[in-house]
Amino acid sequence: METKDIIKWWKFPNATIINRNLPKTQIYPHMKSVADKQFLQDSVQSIYMLANLKSANTNIAMYEDDKELYQEIQFIYIKTKDRGDSTKIYRILSHLIPYPLVILIDEADKFTIYAGRFEKLQTGFLKLMKIYSSPTYQDKDLEDVLQQIALINLPHQNLKVFYDGLCDEIVTATAKEQYGEAIGNITSWEKDQLDFLKKKIDELRNQIKKERQLNRKIDMQMKLKKLKDELSSKLN
């Protein structure tokens, strides 16, 4: 997987392109956790800064309110040494880089795209609140996937709307894989609601299997039906 192809197919504006290797040795001094350092050393082969989007090179307005801050958006490509915990890689880098991140992680012959939801702290730094991942794709599908979420097709009102638009594309693809193609386009917040209901349904099913009292089991089954109906209504 070549970074020049990623950049071309994802359609970064020329002024935003970096395409530069970021040596891990430049990252280690900023890491407090010895375990995290060892994890990156063992798991990550190379890190490339693909592009940096900000108002100055995109003419897309920054965004800030009491809870969120979008000054820049960093796009990163990571080649791993083997299949591992890619979510952990995203979490570690989000603690080191003070901007919303989009990371394409290449594991052997497959890749996944990660984004997140961030909250602005009183210090002005960002705290990662939630990680969103695309489906895991085969490397041979890279061009098609990136062209489907090409940056020129995302909303440009401001950097928050732009970033949210990309997150929505990612979670919609994941939701279609999890819940069926009929789901249509959804936002990251709507995906959170679906996942919450699915988790509640799974938990209740497990409780029903363990419950021995018939009256309690019937009550739980009624609750389960309500949850399933609610999930179904959100999917249709």
Side-chain angles (χ1 to χ4, degrees):
M1 190 177 290
E2 298 289 337
T3 57
K4 63 180 178 62
D5 291 329
I6 297 173
I7 289 167
K8 178 176 67 174
W9 294 332
W10 220 339
K11 301 188 185 302
F12 290 105
N14 288 335
T16 70
I17 296 171
I18 299 174
N19 196 19
R20 184 176 68 242
N21 179 56
L22 176 62
K24 288 182 288 183
T25 52
Q26 292 185 13
I27 296 177
Y28 295 150
H30 303 283
M31 300 178 67
K32 296 180 180 179
S33 170
V34 174
D36 285 349
K37 290 179 185 179
Q38 190 62 51
F39 172 77
L40 281 187
Q41 184 174 341
D42 295 341
S43 303
V44 173
Q45 178 176 317
S46 55
I47 302 173
Y48 284 87
M49 307 300 294
L50 295 174
N52 176 22
L53 278 67
K54 51 190 175 181
S55 297
N57 59 22
T58 63
N59 290 321
I60 303 175
M62 67 163 286
Y63 178 90
E64 182 174 12
D65 61 19
D66 293 339
K67 295 184 177 180
E68 296 179 288
L69 176 62
Y70 291 82
Q71 291 178 307
E72 299 182 15
I73 300 172
Q74 301 262 344
F75 285 77
I76 298 171
Y77 165 67
I78 290 179
K79 176 69 175 177
T80 62
K81 294 180 179 178
D82 201 352
R83 289 193 177 91
D85 189 348
S86 294
T87 302
K88 185 174 181 179
I89 295 173
Y90 186 92
R91 184 175 292 109
I92 289 172
L93 290 184
S94 72
H95 292 158
L96 297 172
I97 299 173
Y99 304 109
L101 303 179
V102 182
I103 302 182
L104 191 157
I105 298 182
D106 186 14
E107 297 181 308
D109 57 348
K110 298 180 180 181
F111 71 94
T112 310
I113 301 170
Y114 291 84
R117 181 180 298 140
F118 297 84
E119 183 177 287
K120 184 179 71 172
L121 303 175
Q122 290 184 346
T123 58
F125 288 97
L126 300 181
K127 179 180 180 181
L128 177 65
M129 305 300 293
K130 179 88 175 181
I131 298 175
Y132 297 105
S133 66
S134 73
T136 298
Y137 300 104
Q138 298 291 324
D139 278 359
K140 64 182 179 61
D141 299 321
L142 179 66
E143 181 176 1
D144 288 340
V145 171
L146 294 185
Q147 289 189 350
Q148 287 172 13
I149 56 174
L151 303 186
I152 58 173
N153 297 327
L154 297 175
H156 283 54
Q157 290 93 320
N158 57 56
L159 289 175
K160 169 182 164 54
V161 173
F162 178 91
Y163 189 80
D164 285 349
L166 180 56
C167 284
D168 293 347
E169 293 286 345
I170 289 172
V171 301
T172 292
T174 304
K176 286 180 180 294
E177 187 175 86
Q178 289 179 310
Y179 300 106
E181 286 291 331
I183 191 173
N185 293 335
I186 64 171
T187 68
S188 58
W189 292 102
E190 290 169 334
K191 177 67 162 55
D192 289 347
Q193 294 174 1
L194 293 176
D195 292 345
F196 175 77
L197 284 172
K198 180 66 165 56
K199 181 179 178 182
K200 296 289 287 184
I201 288 170
D202 291 342
E203 289 174 348
L204 195 51
R205 278 176 173 157
N206 290 331
Q207 292 174 19
I208 290 172
K209 289 179 182 178
K210 297 175 183 178
E211 183 55 57
R212 296 187 176 183
Q213 293 185 25
L214 182 59
N215 60 332
R216 293 189 63 182
K217 191 168 228 177
I218 291 173
D219 182 56
M220 293 164 72
Q221 287 173 336
M222 291 176 64
K223 291 179 180 177
L224 177 61
K225 184 180 184 306
K226 288 182 179 179
L227 287 173
K228 291 170 71 175
D229 288 346
E230 185 179 354
L231 178 61
S232 179
S233 69
K234 291 183 180 295
L235 292 174
N236 298 322

PDB file of all heavy atoms in Angstrom, residues 15 29 45 74 100 149 161 213 226 235:
ATOM      1  N   ALA A  15      -2.562  21.616  -1.193  1.00  0.00           N
ATOM      2  CA  ALA A  15      -1.971  22.421  -0.130  1.00  0.00           C
ATOM      3  C   ALA A  15      -1.963  21.715   1.226  1.00  0.00           C
ATOM      4  O   ALA A  15      -1.237  22.115   2.135  1.00  0.00           O
ATOM      5  CB  ALA A  15      -2.719  23.753  -0.002  1.00  0.00           C
ATOM      6  N   PRO A  29       9.588  10.126  23.265  1.00  0.00           N
ATOM      7  CA  PRO A  29       9.853  11.062  24.376  1.00  0.00           C
ATOM      8  C   PRO A  29       8.594  11.714  24.942  1.00  0.00           C
ATOM      9  O   PRO A  29       8.613  12.216  26.078  1.00  0.00           O
ATOM     10  CB  PRO A  29      10.771  12.113  23.735  1.00  0.00           C
ATOM     11  CG  PRO A  29      11.418  11.411  22.595  1.00  0.00           C
ATOM     12  CD  PRO A  29      10.358  10.491  22.066  1.00  0.00           C
ATOM     13  N   GLN A  45       4.940  -0.748  12.358  1.00  0.00           N
ATOM     14  CA  GLN A  45       6.116  -0.738  11.486  1.00  0.00           C
ATOM     15  C   GLN A  45       6.476   0.680  11.074  1.00  0.00           C
ATOM     16  O   GLN A  45       7.646   1.075  11.140  1.00  0.00           O
ATOM     17  CB  GLN A  45       5.842  -1.591  10.257  1.00  0.00           C
ATOM     18  CG  GLN A  45       6.982  -1.607   9.246  1.00  0.00           C
ATOM     19  CD  GLN A  45       6.694  -2.548   8.088  1.00  0.00           C
ATOM     20  OE1 GLN A  45       6.208  -3.661   8.293  1.00  0.00           O
ATOM     21  NE2 GLN A  45       6.973  -2.099   6.870  1.00  0.00           N
ATOM     22  N   GLN A  74      -5.934  15.954  11.303  1.00  0.00           N
ATOM     23  CA  GLN A  74      -4.743  15.235  10.858  1.00  0.00           C
ATOM     24  C   GLN A  74      -5.141  13.880  10.282  1.00  0.00           C
ATOM     25  O   GLN A  74      -5.910  13.132  10.890  1.00  0.00           O
ATOM     26  CB  GLN A  74      -3.792  15.021  12.035  1.00  0.00           C
ATOM     27  CG  GLN A  74      -3.321  16.299  12.693  1.00  0.00           C
ATOM     28  CD  GLN A  74      -1.951  16.725  12.193  1.00  0.00           C
ATOM     29  OE1 GLN A  74      -1.227  15.932  11.592  1.00  0.00           O
ATOM     30  NE2 GLN A  74      -1.592  17.953  12.456  1.00  0.00           N
ATOM     31  N   PRO A 100      -8.325  16.439  16.081  1.00  0.00           N
ATOM     32  CA  PRO A 100      -9.086  15.274  15.633  1.00  0.00           C
ATOM     33  C   PRO A 100      -8.303  14.497  14.577  1.00  0.00           C
ATOM     34  O   PRO A 100      -7.725  15.088  13.667  1.00  0.00           O
ATOM     35  CB  PRO A 100     -10.366  15.886  15.056  1.00  0.00           C
ATOM     36  CG  PRO A 100     -10.514  17.199  15.767  1.00  0.00           C
ATOM     37  CD  PRO A 100      -9.106  17.694  15.951  1.00  0.00           C
ATOM     38  N   ILE A 149     -15.449   7.820  -0.143  1.00  0.00           N
ATOM     39  CA  ILE A 149     -15.444   8.828   0.926  1.00  0.00           C
ATOM     40  C   ILE A 149     -14.437   9.940   0.602  1.00  0.00           C
ATOM     41  O   ILE A 149     -13.789  10.489   1.499  1.00  0.00           O
ATOM     42  CB  ILE A 149     -15.128   8.200   2.304  1.00  0.00           C
ATOM     43  CG1 ILE A 149     -13.797   7.430   2.274  1.00  0.00           C
ATOM     44  CG2 ILE A 149     -16.249   7.285   2.752  1.00  0.00           C
ATOM     45  CD1 ILE A 149     -13.368   6.918   3.644  1.00  0.00           C
ATOM     46  N   VAL A 161     -18.193  20.146  10.819  1.00  0.00           N
ATOM     47  CA  VAL A 161     -19.155  19.532   9.898  1.00  0.00           C
ATOM     48  C   VAL A 161     -18.428  18.595   8.929  1.00  0.00           C
ATOM     49  O   VAL A 161     -18.909  17.506   8.608  1.00  0.00           O
ATOM     50  CB  VAL A 161     -19.930  20.619   9.134  1.00  0.00           C
ATOM     51  CG1 VAL A 161     -20.806  20.005   8.055  1.00  0.00           C
ATOM     52  CG2 VAL A 161     -20.785  21.433  10.100  1.00  0.00           C
ATOM     53  N   GLN A 213     -36.781 -18.435  37.551  1.00  0.00           N
ATOM     54  CA  GLN A 213     -38.147 -18.135  37.979  1.00  0.00           C
ATOM     55  C   GLN A 213     -38.990 -17.755  36.761  1.00  0.00           C
ATOM     56  O   GLN A 213     -38.663 -16.807  36.037  1.00  0.00           O
ATOM     57  CB  GLN A 213     -38.159 -17.005  38.998  1.00  0.00           C
ATOM     58  CG  GLN A 213     -37.501 -17.375  40.326  1.00  0.00           C
ATOM     59  CD  GLN A 213     -37.648 -16.277  41.359  1.00  0.00           C
ATOM     60  OE1 GLN A 213     -38.566 -15.466  41.302  1.00  0.00           O
ATOM     61  NE2 GLN A 213     -36.718 -16.255  42.314  1.00  0.00           N
ATOM     62  N   LYS A 226     -39.801  -5.336  23.727  1.00  0.00           N
ATOM     63  CA  LYS A 226     -39.868  -3.881  23.581  1.00  0.00           C
ATOM     64  C   LYS A 226     -38.552  -3.329  23.030  1.00  0.00           C
ATOM     65  O   LYS A 226     -38.560  -2.453  22.158  1.00  0.00           O
ATOM     66  CB  LYS A 226     -40.193  -3.235  24.925  1.00  0.00           C
ATOM     67  CG  LYS A 226     -41.628  -3.438  25.393  1.00  0.00           C
ATOM     68  CD  LYS A 226     -41.880  -2.730  26.712  1.00  0.00           C
ATOM     69  CE  LYS A 226     -43.320  -2.924  27.172  1.00  0.00           C
ATOM     70  NZ  LYS A 226     -43.569  -2.250  28.477  1.00  0.00           N
ATOM     71  N   LEU A 235     -34.145   0.917  12.696  1.00  0.00           N
ATOM     72  CA  LEU A 235     -33.496   0.364  11.511  1.00  0.00           C
ATOM     73  C   LEU A 235     -34.335   0.552  10.251  1.00  0.00           C
ATOM     74  O   LEU A 235     -33.824   0.441   9.135  1.00  0.00           O
ATOM     75  CB  LEU A 235     -33.213  -1.129  11.718  1.00  0.00           C
ATOM     76  CG  LEU A 235     -32.151  -1.475  12.765  1.00  0.00           C
ATOM     77  CD1 LEU A 235     -32.076  -2.983  12.959  1.00  0.00           C
ATOM     78  CD2 LEU A 235     -30.801  -0.926  12.379  1.00  0.00           C
TER      79      LEU A 235
END
